[in-house]
Amino acid sequence: MSSEPRIAVLIPCYNEAASIAAVVRDFRASLPQADIFVYDNNSADDTVAIATAAGAIVRRESRQGKGFVVRRMFADIDADVYVIVDGDDTYDAAAAPKLVELILKENCDLVNGARVPTNEAAFRAGHKFGNRLLSTLVSMIFGKRNTDMLSGYKALSRRMVKSFPIKSSGFEIETELLIHVLELGLPVDEIKTPYRERGEGSESKLRTYRDGFRIIWLISHLIRDEKPLQFFAAVAAVLALIAILLGVPIVVTFAETGLVPRLPTALLATGLVISSLLALTAGLVLDSVARARREFKLLSYLGMAAPSAKRR
């Protein structure tokens, strides 16, 4: 006997009393068959009371940070399609059915809602530049599959959610989500969706420099973990280049005079060459480990049923 797919709208919240009622109302109208979950992250305002009055299922996560909230959501909630959206009322709920449709009918595992600002105030210049820079960096390393890596509006399949080992604690969760699906080669899509500025009384929790640094730090760690051969080969190349720059004059002097007048520099150059070889060896070993980890994650993913418009 078939039944309709289960859809869950996940809304992580921290001090969103000014906007959460509108978000719950709009997604209730856009996806009437969905369960709407609001996860409060230690709000000091009336977010919980307002979300409850609006009809959402309200739960709490005490560890501060969006990554912790998403980790708890993914662990607690069982659904066929997950729509995750910020609680600041900046994303267009009318786009949600299209996001869900691509998961169910096209068997996508992640559909990104790429932001199209409705006015200049909606997307600050610094955030736009940082988003473009980070999206380009990830595209160069892991492949270009979307244009707005840091969007907080996404639809996800159950098999992707339940096989995703989250490590992030903060806003870098969007980056980790994308890199996970790119590294495994999972089907990804993207649609454009309007993005409006926050309403009166709503304040952004994103800190441009702090969170930007955390995202870059995460990307560097994921490159090391997922592409260790490339990472350590680059380290080896830098060490080898420095060794050559230091060592060539010493070799030339030795060829001309038979003397090594700068023994400490010669020892340093020799040490750098050895370190370069060690880094390359580490990259080769860790590349085999990373391949095994990737295969294990892929097997875990393949153990889940594919999304479909009807559940059997």
Side-chain angles (χ1 to χ4, degrees), residues 10 13 25 49 51 81 108 115 126-127 136 141 172 193 195 203 211 240 262 272 275 285 291 304 312:
L10 312 182
C13 274
R25 181 189 65 242
V81 182
C108 291
R115 294 168 287 183
H127 290 177
T136 301
I141 298 169
E172 65 272 24
T193 179
Y195 182 72
E203 181 182 351
D211 291 314
R262 291 179 291 171
L272 288 172
S275 298
V285 172
R291 188 179 299 111
M304 303 284 179
R312 299 286 177 183

Side-chain angles (χ1 to χ4, degrees), residues 265-276:
T265 303
L267 292 174
L268 176 60
T270 302
L272 288 172
V273 170
I274 294 172
S275 298
S276 175

Side-chain angles (χ1 to χ4, degrees), residues 10-27:
L10 312 182
I11 310 173
C13 274
Y14 174 61
N15 290 340
E16 298 292 2
S19 57
I20 189 58
V23 176
V24 173
R25 181 189 65 242
D26 291 347
F27 277 89

Side-chain angles (χ1 to χ4, degrees), residues 11 29 35 84 86 93 138 144-145 180 214 248 265-266 268 283:
I11 310 173
D35 293 320
I84 184 167
D86 293 338
V138 169
K144 183 174 178 59
R145 302 286 294 278
H180 176 75
R214 291 181 65 172
V248 166
T265 303
L268 176 60

Side-chain angles (χ1 to χ4, degrees), residues 18-292:
S19 57
I20 189 58
V23 176
V24 173
R25 181 189 65 242
D26 291 347
F27 277 89
R28 177 77 67 199
S30 181
L31 294 171
Q33 75 276 37
D35 293 320
I36 299 180
F37 295 86
V38 170
Y39 269 65
D40 180 65
N41 195 207
N42 303 316
S43 294
D45 59 11
D46 294 327
T47 295
V48 170
I50 294 173
T52 302
I57 302 169
V58 180
R59 296 177 180 175
R60 291 176 173 84
E61 169 54 53
S62 60
R63 294 173 295 177
Q64 196 67 42
K66 186 176 181 180
F68 287 128
V69 178
V70 174
R71 187 183 307 180
R72 181 71 177 272
M73 288 174 161
F74 286 2
D76 288 356
I77 299 168
D78 194 32
D80 297 301
V81 182
Y82 299 78
V83 177
I84 184 167
V85 65
D86 293 338
D88 54 12
D89 197 27
T90 56
Y91 293 96
D92 183 25
K98 180 61 176 177
L99 294 170
V100 172
E101 180 184 4
L102 287 169
I103 296 289
L104 294 174
K105 294 186 177 180
E106 301 299 329
N107 278 354
C108 291
D109 287 303
L110 184 149
V111 181
N112 192 51
R115 294 168 287 183
V116 179
T118 56
N119 55 56
E120 289 297 324
F123 212 162
R124 286 183 286 174
H127 290 177
K128 184 183 294 186
F129 172 77
N131 184 40
R132 185 180 296 117
L133 176 64
L134 293 170
S135 296
T136 301
L137 176 61
V138 169
S139 296
M140 289 172 58
I141 298 169
F142 294 97
K144 183 174 178 59
R145 302 286 294 278
N146 75 76
T147 60
D148 186 9
M149 180 181 72
L150 300 182
S151 171
Y153 193 16
K154 293 176 173 65
L156 308 164
S157 71
R158 182 180 186 277
R159 61 181 179 177
M160 186 271 168
V161 165
K162 295 302 183 181
S163 63
F164 175 42
I166 300 177
K167 293 177 283 188
S168 301
S169 60
F171 282 103
E172 65 272 24
I173 180 64
E174 279 93 4
T175 304
E176 189 181 5
L177 275 168
L178 177 63
I179 290 178
H180 176 75
V181 298
L182 292 178
E183 186 61 18
L184 293 184
L186 307 185
V188 179
D189 208 337
E190 181 177 84
I191 66 170
K192 303 293 184 182
T193 179
Y195 182 72
R196 52 185 174 266
E197 63 181 310
R198 284 173 170 265
E200 186 177 351
S202 179
E203 181 182 351
S204 175
K205 314 306 182 297
L206 181 66
R207 299 295 177 261
T208 303
Y209 297 107
R210 182 198 66 185
D211 291 314
F213 175 78
R214 291 181 65 172
I215 292 168
I216 293 173
W217 186 253
L218 173 70
I219 292 172
S220 68
H221 276 255
L222 289 174
I223 295 171
R224 183 199 63 192
D225 293 344
E226 304 298 338
K227 295 183 177 294
L229 181 57
Q230 294 90 324
F231 180 86
F232 285 100
V235 173
V238 171
L239 294 174
L241 178 61
I242 297 173
I244 290 170
L245 293 175
L246 293 174
V248 166
I250 295 173
V251 172
V252 171
T253 301
F254 178 78
E256 293 175 348
T257 65
L259 301 174
V260 183
R262 291 179 291 171
L263 183 59
T265 303
L267 292 174
L268 176 60
T270 302
L272 288 172
V273 170
I274 294 172
S275 298
S276 175
L277 293 172
L278 288 174
L280 186 58
T281 302
L284 290 168
V285 172
L286 291 175
D287 188 60
S288 298
V289 175
R291 188 179 299 111

